[in-house]
């Protein structure tokens, strides 16, 4: 009985958060953020899913996430992400978030981690699944956009900031990836994250 009540509270909380974005953020529509609206509309059709609502909210940190446990889901982009990414990179990010909808990742997370934060207890238990879900959504992005370069540059900008891309050397990234593999402590550090290492 307590479990059912806990799930009900978690889903109720998620619905309240979706309402907050409707009240405090700008929703992409045919009147504003028209290009973003077009992107999510076209990609939703391509993936054969009902189009989620797309919101832009003020935040200095580039970020994107999906919330909801049933249609319509909500995809939320930070203002710094929209400002700092090019159109093809935004296409890659939106396609990634639609991957979470397509494979019901946000539905599961609505119950497991309704606050949407990296909570150690849930990360230890569900971290493998969450990291796999992120990789699956990256694959959805690649399949939808057929543009691996834009996904890579979008992930770099989200990971380290939108203004540093021109200072990144791709060979050095590969060297850093190899260094991670050299010790188990480097590799195991990923177990504390609900996302895969950026370098991966």
């Amino acid at each position: 009985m307590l479990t059912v009540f806990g799930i009900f509270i978690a889903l109720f909380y998620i619905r309240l958060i979706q309402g907050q974005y409707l009240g405090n953020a700008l929703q992409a529509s045919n009147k504003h953020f028209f290009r973003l609206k077009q992107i999510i509309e076209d990609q939703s059709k391509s993936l054969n899913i009902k189009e989620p609502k797309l919101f832009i909210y003020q935040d200095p940190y580039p970020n994107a996430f999906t919330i909801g446990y049933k249609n319509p889901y909500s995809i939320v982009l930070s203002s710094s992400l929209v400002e700092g990414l090019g159109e093809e990179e935004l296409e890659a990010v939106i396609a990634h978030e639609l991957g979470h909808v397509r494979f019901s990742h946000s539905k599961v997370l609505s119950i497991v981690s309704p606050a949407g934060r990296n909570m150690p207890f849930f990360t230890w238990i569900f971290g493998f699944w969450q990291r796999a879900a992120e990789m699956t959504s990256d694959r959805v992005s690649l399949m939808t956009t057929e543009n691996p370069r834009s996904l890579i540059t979008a992930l770099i900008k989200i990971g380290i900031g939108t203004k540093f891309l021109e200072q990144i050397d791709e060979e050095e990234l590969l060297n850093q990836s190899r260094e991670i593999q050299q010790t188990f402590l480097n590799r195991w550090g990923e177990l504390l994250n609900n996302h895969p290492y950026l370098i991966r």
Side-chain angles (χ1 to χ4, degrees):
M1 185 68 178
L2 281 175
T3 304
V4 172
F5 182 71
I7 290 172
F8 174 78
I9 292 297
L11 297 180
F12 181 71
Y13 175 76
I14 290 293
R15 186 61 192 86
L16 288 178
I17 295 299
Q18 285 182 280
Q20 282 188 326
Y21 282 109
L22 188 61
N24 291 326
L26 267 179
Q27 184 176 346
S29 72
N30 292 328
K31 299 272 176 106
H32 49 241
F33 295 107
F34 171 70
R35 184 62 192 124
L36 294 179
K37 174 76 165 94
Q38 267 189 325
I39 291 169
I40 195 168
E41 192 175 302
D42 293 345
Q43 290 183 347
S44 296
K45 285 178 185 171
S46 172
L47 291 168
N48 197 29
I49 57 175
K50 183 171 180 176
E51 182 184 336
K53 294 181 178 181
L54 179 64
F55 296 98
I56 293 88
Y57 75 107
Q58 172 63 33
D59 192 325
Y61 299 104
N63 195 16
F65 54 91
T66 302
I67 57 173
Y69 54 89
K70 65 176 187 173
N71 289 317
Y73 292 88
S74 300
I75 292 178
V76 184
L77 308 179
S78 68
S79 55
S80 58
L81 184 86
V82 175
E83 290 170 356
L85 269 60
E87 184 172 310
E88 290 184 347
E89 291 166 334
L90 286 169
E91 287 177 357
V93 169
I94 291 170
H96 170 97
E97 296 305 324
L98 287 172
H100 289 309
V101 174
R102 179 70 180 81
F103 288 98
S104 301
H105 300 153
S106 57
K107 187 179 292 187
V108 173
L109 287 174
S110 293
I111 297 169
V112 172
S113 180
R117 292 185 176 86
N118 193 6
M119 297 187 284
F121 176 73
F122 288 119
T123 299
W124 275 99
I125 294 175
F126 296 102
F128 176 79
W129 177 85
Q130 287 183 270
R131 291 188 296 275
E134 291 300 324
M135 298 295 266
T136 297
S137 289
D138 282 346
R139 290 183 184 101
V140 170
S141 178
L142 291 171
M143 179 194 75
T144 304
T145 65
E146 299 180 345
N147 189 346
R149 178 75 186 165
S150 290
L151 179 60
I152 291 167
T153 57
L155 289 171
I156 290 171
K157 287 181 176 181
I158 291 169
I160 66 163
T162 58
K163 298 181 180 177
F164 300 111
L165 185 64
E166 64 277 0
Q167 299 181 46
I168 301 298
D169 181 84
E170 292 177 12
E171 187 63 35
E172 251 339 273
L173 281 178
L174 290 173
N175 290 338
Q176 192 171 332
S177 178
R178 293 184 192 107
E179 187 177 345
I180 289 169
Q181 298 304 316
Q182 288 173 3
T183 69
F184 75 90
L185 286 177
N186 288 345
R187 296 192 303 272
W188 283 15
E190 190 178 49
L191 298 178
L192 302 175
N193 294 337
N194 57 16
H195 279 60
Y197 278 150
L198 169 67
I199 298 303
R200 286 184 64 198

